[in-house]
Amino acid sequence: MATTLHTNPVDTPTKPPSEATVILLNDDDTPMELVLVILTSVFLLAVEDALQVTLAAHEHGKSIVRSYPSRDIADTKVAQATKIAQQHEHPLRFIVQ
């Protein structure tokens, strides 16, 4: 008689979700004011932090916005931010790493 081995999914170790970092890419078309509004309203940065992120992206071509505990959260935030930029007809872009 063959023995069937059953595993309990509760006992199976799961890999924690990997952290995902949102990066702002510089562009010369999106007004700084709109970038600040998006960083403060979507990514919930303080105004001072949003200004630092914006200036760093302008100077270096890109800048870390913030990290999230999962890729899904980061992708959702980027989608929200991109939608706002597109509604204002600006090419603001973010990437998730």
Side-chain angles (χ1 to χ4, degrees):
M1 176 181 211
T3 304
T4 304
L5 196 55
H6 295 282
T7 59
N8 184 346
V10 175
D11 294 334
T12 305
T14 58
K15 182 180 173 186
S18 59
E19 192 171 84
T21 301
V22 175
I23 297 173
L24 167 66
L25 302 179
N26 185 53
D27 72 70
D28 294 327
D29 298 315
T30 306
M32 184 174 180
E33 294 80 14
L34 180 58
V35 177
L36 294 173
V37 166
I38 290 172
L39 292 176
T40 56
S41 65
V42 175
F43 298 100
L44 305 179
L45 297 184
V47 174
E48 299 81 20
D49 295 334
L51 183 58
Q52 288 180 349
V53 167
T54 303
L55 293 176
H58 182 70
E59 184 176 328
H60 302 290
K62 61 184 177 180
S63 179
I64 293 173
V65 176
R66 68 179 297 178
S67 294
Y68 290 95
S70 74
R71 174 94 190 200
D72 286 343
I73 296 170
D75 286 338
T76 298
K77 293 291 187 178
V78 166
Q80 291 169 346
T82 301
K83 182 177 179 181
I84 294 169
Q86 289 172 344
Q87 288 172 339
H88 288 87
E89 300 180 355
H90 290 288
L92 187 64
R93 291 187 47 228
F94 297 87
I95 57 173
V96 178
Q97 291 185 333

